[in-house]
Structures are given as structure tokens and as C-alpha cells.
Amino acid sequence: MGRVEGKVAIVTGAAGGLGEAIVRRLLAEGATVVATDINEQSLSKYQEAVGERCMTQCHDVASESSWKEVMEKTLARYGRLDVLVNNAGIVIAGSVEETSLEDFRRVQQVHSEGTFLGCKFALPAMRGTGAGSGSIINMSSVTAIGGFPYVFAYAAAKGAIRSMTKSIAAGTSAVGEPIRCNSIHPGRIETPMVRACREERELLSGNEAVEEGNPSGHPDDIAHAVVYLASDESVWMNGSEMVIDNGATITDGSVKRRVQH
Ligand SMILES: NC(=O)c1ccc[n+]([C@@H]2O[C@H](COP(=O)([O-])OP(=O)(O)OC[C@H]3O[C@@H](n4cnc5c(N)ncnc54)[C@H](O)[C@@H]3O)[C@@H](O)[C@H]2O)c1
């Protein structure tokens, strides 16, 4: 029996990077997965999985009506919601002075408002269906913990996700609801977002090897943690922050430790 057998999960930002690894791990462990992304075309990679245990849905996490549609379709098709992974994200590089108000707002819309809307719609869906319990997993970042001046707007948005997670957890705890909400804080993991960000920074700095010597993690390093938080193995965790960064936050950030993935 899989570790999340029988559970119904929505994963946002599922078209690539961490989202894809999360969808594939959850499916492998027996979950039914609604894989959503704004990039509908890239969701066709799940064609072979789509069937009884997987559906895909075009979804802009910054749009309330888009969330309503995803939730309605999930409940109409599967009749329950057990897990929500708020994973979708964008990054716009820039210091506080380099960031325009428009860019700052766009980053907040996708991360902070997107996560807020996801939690707002997931809570009644989890409460009113299935076992009446559930797990909300919010993708934050190490940028919510330390100072990251060159991705200023992104770090601010990830900080909002970190504190929203704790408020939701405290809320369900206060009324004795079996719904939990935890955040994951990855360090650098090799994905399309990180590759694009690296190219942008290298272009800005004129330095071709800004991260030389610091190894990146693999998307599965995060997907394994999501499976744990989605499963009943983590029922005693609520409002926690899981830092997965190869020790970067406990050092000066120059982590040389390499692992075999
Ligand atoms: N890769 C890392 O090192 C790292 C570190 C810390 C946190 N994170 C977080 O993990 C999550 C996944 O990042 P990733 O590295 O896989 O990035 P990615 O760019 O590879 O994937 C992000 C996905 O989100 C989708 N997306 C963007 N805007 C959207 C919107 N408005 N609505 C719905 N989907 C949207 C994109 O189409 C893309 O498929 C993000 O929240 C990111 O901030 C990543």
C-alpha cells in the first residue's frame, strides 16, 4: 500500500521543476492528483498518467475564479480533497531599489495571494468532504529565513507564505480541526526557475560562475518531504517549517557538501 493511497491532492505549478517531481512521487505512492499550472501546454506531459488517478487543469493561482473552477472540478470528479500543495511560483530578480512596484505586486500576486486563495478554498473543501481532515503544504523558501537582497520581492512573498502557514495552523489547532498546514523551505534546487535566475544574475554581474562550488539539490529532495507531509506519517506536525537546504542556512551559505542523487 502506498504512503498516500486513497488521498486526493491538488498540486499547483505542476508543469515542471519541483511540481513535476511532486506529482510523480504522489502518484507513485498511490494518491490521486489534480495537476494544475498556468502553462497548460506543458501539462500534456501527464498524458500517460491521466485517467482514473490523475487529471490536469489550466490554473492561474493569482485568480480567484480560477481557484473556484479547480476546486469545483476536483470535488465533482473525486468527491474529496485531502492535500493541497501550493507550489506555483515566479521569481523576478532585483534589489529593493531595482524592483518596480509593478514587479513587486506581480510576485506577491502569484506567491502570497495565490497561497492565500489556495488555503481559503482548501479549508472548506477538506472540512466538508472525505475524512474531514487534510494537509496543506505551502512552498516557501530559505529566502523567508535569511536575507536575500537580490531577490527582494520574492523573499518578501516567501516570508508572507511562512507566516500565513503558521496562522492557518494556529487557527485549525484552536478549534480542534484535524487539518494541518506546514511550510517547506528549499535551498537551491536545480529547476527551470533557478536556471533562468542564474542566467539573469550572471548577465547582470558579468560573472559566469556566481554559484561555483555550491552544489544544487534535486527536485526529488523536496518531493520526498511533500509525500511525508501529505501522508498520515506527519499527523503530529502543524505550523512547522521544514528547511531542506543541505545546511545553507546554518552556515555562511557556501556549502560544499556534495551528495549522490
Ligand atoms: N528551485 C529552487 O531552488 C526553489 C527554492 C526555494 C523555493 N522554490 C519554490 O518552489 C516552487 C517551484 O519552483 P521551481 O523551482 O520548480 O520553479 P519552476 O519555474 O520550474 O516551476 C514553477 C511553476 O509554476 C508555474 N506558475 C507560474 N506562475 C503561475 C501562476 N500564476 N499560476 C499557476 N502556475 C504558475 C510555472 O508555469 C511553472 O510550471 C516555487 O514556489 C518556488 O518559489 C524553489
Side-chain angles (χ1 to χ4, degrees):
M1 177 157 162
R3 291 164 68 198
V4 284
E5 197 88 35
K7 293 191 187 294
V8 174
I10 295 175
V11 179
T12 71
L18 301 188
E20 181 178 357
I22 291 165
V23 169
R24 296 203 183 279
R25 284 277 152 196
L26 287 173
L27 284 173
E29 290 293 343
T32 293
V33 180
V34 179
T36 81
D37 203 286
I38 201 165
N39 182 349
E40 191 174 16
Q41 231 179 355
S42 296
L43 289 171
S44 62
K45 64 175 53 146
Y46 297 117
Q47 226 156 20
E48 87 293 345
V50 167
E52 220 173 283
R53 281 207 298 120
C54 181
M55 70 179 244
T56 59
Q57 176 66 36
C58 181
H59 179 199
D60 177 1
V61 294
S63 152
E64 188 163 19
S65 59
S66 190
W67 267 110
K68 272 190 189 148
E69 191 185 353
V70 168
M71 220 41 92
E72 280 168 10
K73 286 192 172 165
T74 302
L75 296 182
R77 173 100 186 253
Y78 299 117
R80 61 188 287 158
L81 179 69
D82 303 279
V83 177
L84 168 65
V85 188
N86 279 312
N87 169 73
I90 57 168
V91 65
I92 300 177
S95 69
V96 59
E97 289 153 284
E98 288 161 351
T99 303
S100 67
L101 180 57
E102 193 187 8
D103 283 350
F104 186 84
R105 285 184 175 153
R106 183 63 197 147
V107 173
Q108 310 312 310
Q109 273 170 356
V110 175
H111 288 282
S112 176
E113 294 182 21
T115 300
F116 152 66
L117 289 170
C119 295
K120 186 179 165 71
F121 283 102
L123 284 168
M126 288 173 171
R127 202 175 284 139
T129 63
S133 60
S135 174
I136 299 174
I137 303 160
N138 291 333
M139 202 57 73
S140 183
S141 159
V142 291
T143 60
I145 297 170
F148 287 80
Y150 300 110
V151 282
F152 179 81
Y154 177 84
K158 289 303 195 186
I161 291 173
R162 181 189 188 211
S163 55
M164 257 190 277
T165 301
K166 295 188 196 310
S167 295
I168 288 160
T172 60
S173 187
V175 296
E177 265 183 340
I179 298 175
R180 58 199 193 281
C181 184
N182 296 287
S183 54
I184 297 185
H185 299 255
R188 197 177 61 241
I189 309 289
E190 199 60 30
T191 65
M193 175 189 279
V194 161
R195 280 191 285 278
C197 198
R198 181 187 295 128
E199 279 161 23
E200 198 179 339
R201 276 183 54 206
E202 285 174 356
L203 210 66
L204 285 174
S205 68
N207 177 354
E208 281 188 7
V210 287
E211 290 158 355
E212 200 176 358
N214 285 4
S216 299
H218 186 278
D220 276 345
D221 294 329
I222 306 305
H224 289 301
V226 170
V227 170
Y228 168 68
L229 288 176
S231 78
D232 294 340
E233 295 160 15
S234 60
V235 284
W236 201 239
M237 268 180 87
N238 195 22
S240 296
E241 44 191 81
M242 230 189 212
V243 177
I244 307 172
D245 68 347
N246 196 25
T249 45
I250 53 147
T251 66
D252 64 358
S254 54
V255 179
K256 307 287 184 234
R257 194 177 78 97
R258 289 181 188 278
V259 294
Q260 202 67 46
H261 280 107

